[in-house]
Amino acid sequence: METIREKRNILCFIISYVINNLASGVLYDTYVNYLQEVQVSIATSFWAFYGYATFISALLLLAVPKIGYKKLLLFCSLGTSFAFFGAIFLQYDWVLYAATLLALTGVQLHFIMLSPFIACYTEHLGLKKINWYTRTYYMGYIGYFIATYLGGAFVVKAFSVVSGITYSAAQEATRYITQLSNAMYADYMMGNEIVLFLFGCISLISLIPVLFIKEKKEDFVTHEFQDKISWKQKIRGISEVLLNRYSRAYLLYWALISFAMGLFTSYYTVYLNRNLHIDKATSSLIVSISYIAIVLFMFFTPKCVKKFGKVGTIFFTVMASIPFMILIGCGNYLGDFVVPVVGGALFIRAGLANLSSPVDSSLSMDVIPKSIRPIYTSLVNFMAGIVSILSGYFTGGYLFLEQSGYQKAYFIAAGLYAVAGIVLYKGLHSFNHKEDQIVKQEESL
């Protein structure tokens, strides 16, 4: 009977996670485009809010040993829903700031809870537990794919209904939003608000599977969150990290990649729609199709690691991404071929980036001794949050002050990717194919 409870809890989590990813897909697509109209300063510095949400989510996760997972999962669903509702009905500046932070915290907390939640119910499964992680990730990406596509299509449909025009006419009108008449622009904005309200309601549905989770105290007080580390141990651990040349190289590499990601990952449809004048529905479709690459390319991860090693795989995917990022940035020169070429470039870039993401997670744990892995994980996340905030301030305070900045972002990011790849290779090339031996040597010092 105990295994039935565990299986039910995981299935309920997966259902809530998929529904929450529907909201996440709309958040990173429709919501960002909506902010471009109602509060551009938030839209252009969106990645900074992502950094703040990362910090808040990490702090909330520390409450698990006290309150469990279930209450935090309820907060994720309610927070995301209320954020959408608040942004629609209470368009004060402070509400929009709070709503953006709340929505990002809701989806980010749900994501970072995935690993510890699945782990606490699959410890007895041995190697088979990876199947639950795989199912959860795949199902989550499916939800993200559906929401990203439907978000754009639903906006156009709602726009057409409100304005009383055909879907194709509304789709064509969204190519040049800045040229819409006042009446048509108001209808377009109402179309966005209808979609945000709809997905706010859908996010509330994720409360239902969470309510069916049957949690026991021993589920969340006996795992790794229970362990307490003194400040003296933390300081000593940080010193060990900074003295380890492999961990320093990885930290610098990840800082560069995190900053670069903040320049474009939240603004795909903004660039496609506003710079390349691809209609809203097609823009969302292009981005949503690129998420299919995430699943397809990850099938090649084990083979690449076996052939190139972990460092070699990451270096290859980072450097191979650069030509496609430049190609996306040159989309305005492609004429009638802009949709297939840019769409294909986005697809391949997304695939390459996610082919190495499992390797990234593994390598970050390999470069340091086991005894300081928890501290190093915290340090990596803390650094990523700081860099995300800096990236957001850079885009909001400088790069995106002009619409052309969304195009320049791809060239800057490509340069940062090149530097990051070189840093990784120079710092860790001797580590490649020798991970286990080097870790053992470090631990024996």
Side-chain angles (χ1 to χ4, degrees), residues 19-39:
I19 297 173
N20 202 52
N21 261 25
L22 292 173
S24 180
V26 170
L27 177 65
Y28 288 106
D29 184 284
T30 304
Y31 185 74
V32 174
N33 281 274
Y34 180 72
L35 287 175
Q36 289 282 332
E37 309 301 329
V38 298
Q39 183 50 268

Side-chain angles (χ1 to χ4, degrees), residues 253 315 318-319 415-428:
Y253 151 76
F315 176 76
V318 166
M319 302 307 284
L416 289 172
Y417 265 53
V419 175
I422 293 170
V423 166
L424 181 79
Y425 184 78
K426 287 290 186 181
L428 292 166

Side-chain angles (χ1 to χ4, degrees), residues 1-9 120-121 124 214-216 218-219:
M1 295 299 293
E2 190 67 16
T3 56
I4 294 176
R5 181 184 74 90
E6 292 170 350
K7 183 179 291 188
R8 183 180 60 231
N9 284 354
C120 77
Y121 293 111
H124 62 286
K214 294 191 179 296
E215 199 171 51
K216 293 183 178 181
E218 54 264 31
D219 292 342

Side-chain angles (χ1 to χ4, degrees), residues 15-219:
I15 294 170
S16 71
Y17 180 71
V18 172
I19 297 173
N20 202 52
N21 261 25
L22 292 173
S24 180
V26 170
L27 177 65
Y28 288 106
D29 184 284
T30 304
Y31 185 74
V32 174
N33 281 274
Y34 180 72
L35 287 175
Q36 289 282 332
E37 309 301 329
V38 298
Q39 183 50 268
V40 69
S41 63
I42 301 177
T44 55
S45 57
F46 194 76
W47 203 247
F49 286 86
Y50 174 86
Y52 295 134
T54 300
F55 286 134
I56 295 173
S57 299
L59 291 173
L60 289 174
L61 196 62
L62 296 176
V64 167
K66 297 290 185 182
I67 64 175
Y69 293 104
K70 187 171 182 177
K71 291 179 181 178
L72 286 179
L73 288 170
L74 292 172
F75 164 78
C76 292
S77 301
L78 289 171
T80 305
S81 296
F82 289 159
F84 282 167
F85 297 151
I88 298 168
F89 297 115
L90 302 170
Q91 291 184 2
Y92 300 105
D93 285 349
W94 71 269
V95 173
L96 290 169
Y97 278 94
T100 302
L101 188 58
L102 184 59
L104 282 166
T105 301
V107 298
Q108 183 70 358
L109 179 59
H110 212 135
F111 173 74
I112 66 175
M113 254 195 290
L114 186 157
S115 294
F117 185 92
I118 300 295
C120 77
Y121 293 111
T122 58
E123 290 182 26
H124 62 286
L125 295 179
L127 294 176
K128 291 183 179 179
K129 64 184 178 183
I130 193 65
N131 295 332
W132 283 111
Y133 286 99
T134 303
R135 293 184 190 113
T136 308
Y137 272 106
Y138 282 175
M139 292 298 293
Y141 281 128
I142 289 172
Y144 204 87
F145 162 77
I146 292 172
T148 303
Y149 168 64
L150 291 182
F154 282 179
V155 166
V156 175
K157 182 62 178 177
F159 175 34
S160 70
V161 172
V162 172
S163 59
I165 60 178
T166 64
Y167 181 88
S168 58
Q171 187 174 2
E172 180 64 22
T174 59
R175 292 180 59 196
Y176 297 93
I177 294 172
T178 56
Q179 297 178 17
L180 293 175
S181 65
N182 290 337
M184 289 285 282
Y185 178 78
D187 292 340
Y188 169 75
M189 291 301 295
M190 185 173 291
N192 279 271
E193 291 169 357
I194 290 171
V195 171
L196 291 176
F197 178 79
L198 172 64
F199 279 88
C201 294
I202 290 174
S203 183
L204 283 177
I205 297 175
S206 66
L207 290 170
I208 297 174
V210 174
L211 291 173
F212 279 97
I213 292 176
K214 294 191 179 296
E215 199 171 51
K216 293 183 178 181
K217 192 171 183 179
E218 54 264 31
D219 292 342

Side-chain angles (χ1 to χ4, degrees), residues 244-251 367 376 427-428 430-431 438 442:
N244 183 311
R245 65 189 179 98
Y246 298 116
S247 64
R248 290 200 309 269
Y250 182 84
L251 274 175
V367 296
Y376 188 61
L428 292 166
S430 63
F431 191 86
I438 292 178
E442 292 285 337

Side-chain angles (χ1 to χ4, degrees), residues 253-254 257 261 264-265 268 293-294 297-298 301 314 317-318 320-321 325 346-360 417:
Y253 151 76
W254 190 240
I257 290 293
M261 287 171 59
F264 64 93
T265 53
Y268 285 132
I294 294 173
F297 276 64
M298 285 179 72
T301 301
I314 297 173
T317 55
V318 166
S321 296
M325 295 167 70
L346 273 172
F347 183 90
I348 296 173
R349 198 220 70 85
L352 289 170
N354 286 278
L355 185 153
S356 63
S357 59
V359 189
D360 259 318
Y417 265 53

